[in-house]
Amino acid sequence: MRILIIGGSGFIGRALIGRLLEMGHEVSVLSRRPQAVRLPSAVTVYPWDGRRGAPWADVLAEMNAVVNLAGANLGAGRWTPQRKHEFLTSRVWSGEAVVEAFSLAARKPSVLLQASAVGYYGPCGNEIITEDAPPGKDFLGQLCVQWETSTQPVEAWGVRRVLLRTGIVLAKDSLALKRLVLPIRWGVGGPLGSGKQWMPWIHLADQIEAMLFLLQHEQARGPYNLTAPNPVRNVDFGRTLARVMRRPFWLPVPALILRLLLGEMSTMVLDGQRAVPRRLLELGYRFRFENLESALRDLLAS
Ligand SMILES: NC(=O)c1ccc[n+]([C@@H]2O[C@H](COP(=O)([O-])OP(=O)(O)OC[C@H]3O[C@@H](n4cnc5c(N)ncnc54)[C@H](OP(=O)(O)O)[C@@H]3O)[C@@H](O)[C@H]2O)c1
């Protein structure tokens, strides 16, 4: 298969590329900084500006599938008004560029995997969240709605569009896991806020295998929660991590402190969703890592 990955230079994109090349697929990437990205030499990297589709419509016409992962990183720092604007525009403009490229391409790829996030559902308390739950009214919820909607027009050309509502992706080198490991390594780990908020995690290996499964499964279309079948509360996540690391877990961090330190971004650690991958399981996907402890033992094994 010939696959174009937009935003493929990032954390998920690089892992996906590794697996696609192993499987013998041809991979191309669109990047805003083609000279700077470090990708395997087998990958063809095309430049783009994150906004326009016309310049690469001919590239798209050669592809069987497109994966759109582009978006400014939500976890990289405080959410200033400028950064919130960039979170939105980097996703919506990219999506609109994808639609423009599809509209101009003489031949359309048959499938589009479109990134999204479980943040779509907003803060959900204790409720079990499947794909038919409504979107949240908060900033992240509304961001995800606009992000997902931006590529909807491709469905008019018969393109099978799959929405990847991804949870917290855990990998050895992921920012999320590094931040969770650090206080525990220092012996000052503890629940964040009430500790009751749910954490919809997924091991990177399952994130990638589930993407490949959805790419190849002709029946897959619409939203899929890419989260392990067993989400955990923040306090249980921390306890499990501390047990695996053989470190103490005792020092709660009050929500107020996190709000002061992180501002609005604190919603990413203080709120959560008890999201479950109902549609992936119904379609027959089998998780390699269903339980947190086995995922963490795998990731933290030296
Ligand atoms: N990692 C997670 O835990 C997680 C969870 C839920 C959802 N997601 C979503 O899944 C997607 C991929 O995640 P990731 O962790 O691989 O993200 P990432 O490492 O931040 O990579 C995203 C890519 O998007 C491109 N990008 C960044 N800013 C952009 C902008 N202003 N305009 C257009 N493109 C821009 C970059 O590619 P170039 O610099 O090469 O152009 C970057 O490599 C993201 O949209 C993310 O929000 C990730």
Side-chain angles (χ1 to χ4, degrees), residues 30-80:
L30 286 192
S31 171
R32 295 159 310 145
R33 43 189 184 107
Q35 313 301 334
V37 296
R38 302 231 250 155
L39 293 172
S41 56
V43 177
T44 310
V45 183
Y46 296 96
W48 81 312
D49 61 4
R51 286 187 178 209
R52 288 175 309 141
W56 47 277
D58 289 346
V59 172
L60 189 100
E62 298 295 313
M63 301 292 152
N64 305 108
V66 178
V67 181
N68 180 18
L69 300 174
N73 197 307
L74 293 157
R78 278 179 85 94
W79 290 4
T80 60

Side-chain angles (χ1 to χ4, degrees), residues 9-12 31-33 69 71 73 86 90-91 147 167 169:
S9 64
F11 162 61
I12 293 175
S31 171
R32 295 159 310 145
R33 43 189 184 107
L69 300 174
N73 197 307
E86 196 194 349
S90 61
R91 290 173 168 79
W147 188 10
V169 183

